[in-house]
């Protein structure tokens, strides 16, 4: 086997960390910031939507979204994301990363704004518009996953590639935080301007009509950071690996990277032969692909699927857990605006203490410890903490033990992000050949989103109490929070086992990992 790598790609692999690396992180990261903001901000306003559009003056409790509506509002964006990951992942390999990257951004901006506008002021019209545009918003966000990861991995050097892709992904944490801060700011301003009695005092006046603007402002704000980076996204040259290995235009790739790296690169004599080798042109459904990349693809898809079941179900019953431990008072003791404030405060605290630090720990340690070790450790610790919360669950809900409960809950999140939540995003962008890289990342990410849908919907029903009288309005009895947490612990353990199928990309060039330099003489 003769190992050959194009000079232009070698130059990228050994390049010192420069300004263009950081520019790429910011451009790709802002997409991710918007993704996270848009996907997670809806959980801050679902209770308010229930109060506004499903108000029943005869009910002891404030209005809440019926189960099928709650599931649709939370779930359509996830379904859109899944479709977008598959479609744009494939398109990114067909048309090139840069072209498709602009399309996804425009979609995200337009649909972010549109989901805050609605036809009519009746529940049906508002929810239908919201769900319609959130699906297409998700579709655009879905495209951002494979493209951001692929662009960053193809631009990065060998030594710090893991940290760079992780830094793009860490912007997700910043997006979740921003969602919390925007909600806190908007609800504080409205609370001051339009004071309202609590639900227990006056049911009709507890949600002032002006509160309708709150959720719209929070949802639409997501368009702003995306719009700001559009110009820079369009100025980025196509990645050298796509231009050279997929479009087979080595001259162009060399010119582009000479500009980016600000050094004079020469094109080699035999460059064309390396790229033209017919044995390296196998397709996604070929025997050759199955032989070389079948098991790693199974490893990437299965671990991402299992992780997202746990990760998204945690995020969704966060509000319920906070209410159970008394961080958020009973709904009837608050007015609609104040409730948004309390939910945002609780979510922002969890994000600040556990979610965000976890992401940056990954950035700091990934090129030292390697992807495999971080993923294995993350799954293991998540299993341990899930069981530690689940088995003595009755002990944790006593008022005296609340702080301990929140600490355990935060640690689960910390090890999701300093663990498989970050690594499952990074590895698929490194181990597949350039002409299938974006597609394979899209497939892995879409399998993950399928897990998220299972987590979000399955556990919405599963976490309901077994006692019929205590379930949320409209839900059948479930298996309860305790049993749900035990199930999630088991799922994390299985994820740990599947991690053994995933190869370690640390310190290797992308061509070495994907076998694109292996041409038998």
């Amino acid at each position: 086997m003769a190992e050959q790598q194009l000079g232009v790609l070698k130059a990228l692999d050994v390049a010192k960390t420069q300004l263009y690396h950081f520019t790429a992180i910011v451009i790709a990261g802002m997409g991710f910031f918007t993704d996270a903001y848009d996907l997670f901000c809806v959980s801050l306003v679902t209770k308010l939507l229930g109060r506004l559009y499903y108000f029943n003056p005869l009910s002891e409790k404030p209005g809440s979204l019926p189960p099928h509506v709650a599931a649709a509002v939370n779930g359509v964006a996830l379904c859109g994301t899944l479709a977008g990951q598959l479609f744009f992942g494939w398109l990114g390999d067909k048309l090139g990363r840069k072209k498709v990257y602009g399309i996804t951004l425009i979609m995200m901006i337009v649909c972010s704004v549109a989901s805050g506008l609605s036809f009519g002021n009746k529940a049906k019209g508002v929810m239908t518009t919201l769900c319609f545009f959130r699906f297409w918003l998700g579709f655009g966000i879905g495209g951002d996953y494979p493209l951001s990861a692929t662009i960053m991995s193809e631009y990065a050097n060998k030594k710090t590639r893991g940290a760079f892709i992780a830094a793009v992904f860490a912007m997700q944490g910043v997006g979740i935080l921003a969602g919390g801060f925007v909600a806190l700011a908007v609800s504080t301003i409205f609370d001051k301007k339009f004071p309202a009695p609590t639900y227990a005092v006056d049911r009709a006046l507890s949600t002032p009509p002006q509160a309708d603007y709150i959720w719209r402002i929070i949802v639409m704000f997501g368009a702003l950071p995306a719009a700001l980076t559009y110009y820079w996204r369009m100025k980025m040259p196509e990645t050298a690996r796509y231009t050279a290995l997929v479009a087979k235009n080595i001259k162009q790739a060399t010119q582009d990277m000479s500009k980016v790296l600000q050094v004079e690169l020469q094109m080699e004599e035999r460059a064309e032969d390396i790229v033209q080798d017919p044995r390296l042109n196998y397709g996604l459904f070929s025997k050759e692909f199955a032989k070389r990349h079948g098991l790693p693809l199974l490893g990437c898809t299965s671990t991402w699927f299992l992780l997202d079941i746990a990760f998204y179900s945690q995020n969704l019953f966060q509000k319920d857990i906070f209410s159970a431990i008394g961080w958020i008072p009973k709904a009837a003791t608050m007015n609609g605006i104040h409730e948004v404030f309390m939910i945002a405060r609780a979510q922002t605290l969890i994000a600040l203490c556990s979610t965000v630090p976890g992401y940056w720990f990954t950035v700091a340690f990934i090129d030292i410890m390697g992807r495999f070790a971080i993923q294995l450790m993350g799954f293991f610790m998540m299993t341990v903490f899930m069981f530690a919360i689940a088995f003595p669950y009755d002990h944790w809900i006593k008022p005296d033990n609340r702080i301990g409960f929140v600490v355990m809950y935060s640690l689960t999140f910390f090890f999701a992000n300093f663990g498989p939540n970050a690594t499952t995003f990074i590895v698929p962008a490194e181990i597949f050949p350039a002409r299938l890289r974006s597609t394979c990342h899209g497939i892995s990410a879409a399998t993950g989103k399928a897990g998220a849908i299972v987590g979000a919907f399955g556990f919405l029903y599963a976490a309901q109490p077994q006692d019929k009288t205590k379930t949320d309005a409209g839900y059948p009895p479930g298996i309860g929070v305790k049993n749900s947490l035990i199930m999630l612990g088991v799922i994390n353990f299985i994820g740990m086992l599947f991690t053994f199928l995933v190869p370690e990309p640390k310190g290797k060039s992308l061509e070495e990992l994907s076998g694109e330099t292996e041409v038998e003489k």
Side-chain angles (χ1 to χ4, degrees):
M1 295 289 243
E3 293 283 325
Q4 299 166 310
Q5 193 186 13
L6 292 172
V8 59
L9 305 185
K10 206 171 265 168
L12 274 171
D13 272 343
V14 297
K16 285 194 173 65
T17 302
Q18 301 169 20
L19 182 65
Y20 85 88
H21 284 122
F22 292 107
T23 316
I25 289 173
V26 171
I27 295 169
M30 275 331 253
F32 247 77
F33 172 95
T34 311
D35 296 354
Y37 181 95
D38 289 334
L39 282 181
F40 291 105
C41 74
V42 78
S43 68
L44 302 170
V45 296
T46 42
K47 297 264 196 212
L48 178 65
L49 289 169
R51 283 185 185 239
L52 282 164
Y53 295 106
Y54 294 91
F55 170 65
N56 173 5
L58 305 174
S59 164
E60 295 274 310
K61 290 181 184 168
S64 66
L65 297 179
H68 64 281
V69 179
V73 170
N74 281 315
V76 283
L78 296 177
C79 298
T81 307
L82 190 154
Q85 283 161 338
L86 290 170
F87 177 69
F88 286 120
W90 166 80
L91 206 61
D93 282 334
K94 282 280 166 285
L95 299 181
R97 329 292 189 218
K98 180 189 166 175
K99 269 186 193 148
V100 183
Y101 213 31
I103 303 170
T104 60
L105 197 69
I106 290 172
M107 261 189 106
M108 279 154 56
I109 296 168
V110 172
C111 296
S112 248
V113 174
S115 55
L117 309 168
S118 47
F119 297 127
N121 55 4
K122 293 279 177 290
K124 205 166 190 176
V126 173
M127 293 302 149
T128 309
T129 337
L130 181 64
C131 290
F132 176 79
F133 285 114
R134 277 189 69 75
F135 176 84
W136 291 109
L137 172 67
F139 196 68
I141 287 174
D144 232 45
Y145 271 76
L147 291 163
S148 292
T150 304
I151 286 174
M152 202 58 241
S153 84
E154 293 184 342
Y155 261 109
N157 56 25
K158 201 157 62 172
K159 208 166 98 202
T160 53
R161 185 178 60 228
F164 286 164
I165 308 174
V168 168
F169 193 64
M171 291 301 282
Q172 201 177 33
V174 184
I176 294 171
L177 263 186
F181 285 137
V182 171
L184 285 170
V186 175
S187 57
T188 308
I189 294 166
F190 273 78
D191 215 7
K192 289 248 180 340
K193 283 266 186 235
F194 308 105
T198 63
Y199 189 81
V201 174
D202 188 324
R203 291 176 185 177
L205 293 177
S206 68
T207 311
Q210 292 85 351
D212 195 43
Y213 290 111
I214 294 180
W215 71 268
R216 296 176 193 276
I217 293 169
I218 294 172
V219 168
M220 288 161 91
F221 188 83
L224 194 65
L228 294 176
T229 50
Y230 182 73
Y231 170 73
W232 300 108
R233 223 180 236 212
M234 290 296 86
K235 277 191 69 172
M236 247 178 144
E238 181 55 85
T239 70
R241 289 185 157 93
Y242 184 84
T243 314
L245 298 171
V246 187
K248 312 239 188 281
N249 186 346
I250 298 169
K251 192 171 170 211
Q252 184 64 47
T254 312
Q255 281 171 0
D256 285 348
M257 290 308 111
S258 296
K259 268 189 216 145
V260 167
L261 294 166
Q262 294 172 333
V263 289
E264 198 49 54
L265 296 172
Q266 297 302 324
M267 192 174 139
E268 311 98 311
E269 306 277 304
R270 293 198 51 252
E272 298 295 335
D273 306 350
I274 301 178
V275 202
Q276 301 295 357
D277 192 286
R279 280 162 301 188
L280 293 180
N281 283 340
Y282 53 87
L284 182 63
F285 299 107
S286 62
K287 272 198 182 133
E288 185 68 17
F289 179 86
K291 192 175 90 185
R292 288 178 181 231
H293 306 291
L295 280 176
L297 184 61
L298 175 65
C300 289
T301 48
S302 56
T303 50
W304 204 335
F305 176 76
L306 293 162
L307 163 86
D308 267 8
I309 294 180
F311 191 73
Y312 275 81
S313 59
Q314 277 180 331
N315 264 335
L316 290 163
F317 57 86
Q318 213 176 47
K319 299 197 287 288
D320 309 323
I321 288 179
F322 292 147
S323 302
I325 59 165
W327 265 30
I328 296 175
K330 292 243 180 305
T333 64
M334 297 183 283
N335 66 36
I337 300 176
H338 194 59
E339 188 175 38
V340 174
F341 179 84
M342 296 303 279
I343 293 170
R345 191 186 71 169
Q347 291 214 9
T348 309
L349 278 170
I350 282 282
L352 265 178
C353 303
S354 67
T355 320
V356 175
Y359 286 111
W360 294 104
F361 263 77
T362 306
V363 175
F365 291 108
I366 190 154
D367 288 310
I368 302 165
M369 291 170 64
R371 289 64 161 157
F372 178 79
I374 288 181
Q375 186 159 318
L376 206 61
M377 171 199 71
F379 268 131
F380 175 72
M381 299 305 268
M382 283 170 78
T383 310
V384 170
F385 286 117
M386 282 285 190
F387 285 150
I389 293 173
F391 288 113
Y393 184 67
D394 301 328
H395 162 84
W396 292 119
I397 31 183
K398 294 195 181 97
D400 305 346
N401 308 323
R402 277 177 196 163
I403 299 299
F405 179 82
V406 174
V407 170
M408 302 289 275
Y409 186 70
S410 300
L411 282 167
T412 324
F413 261 121
F414 174 79
F415 282 107
N417 292 323
F418 180 33
N421 194 32
T423 50
T424 49
F425 175 79
I426 295 165
V427 175
E430 302 182 297
I431 59 177
F432 299 108
R435 64 182 185 290
L436 298 170
R437 188 170 288 136
S438 168
T439 308
C440 289
H441 193 287
I443 291 170
S444 306
T447 327
K449 274 296 165 283
I453 291 165
V454 172
F457 292 112
F459 284 94
L460 197 61
Y461 287 90
Q464 293 298 326
Q466 289 162 318
D467 179 354
K468 258 194 190 131
T469 56
K470 291 183 181 164
T471 58
D472 291 345
Y475 285 91
I479 55 171
V481 175
K482 178 177 175 169
N483 293 339
S484 298
L485 288 165
I486 293 172
M487 269 177 73
L488 292 172
V490 173
I491 287 168
N492 288 327
F493 181 73
I494 301 168
M496 192 170 88
L497 301 179
F498 272 104
T499 299
F500 288 97
L501 294 175
V502 179
E504 175 56 77
K506 187 179 90 171
K508 295 179 178 167
S509 83
L510 293 177
E511 286 64 48
E512 199 182 330
L513 285 163
S514 61
E516 281 165 298
T517 51
E518 294 171 12
V519 182
E520 291 175 22
K521 284 281 191 271

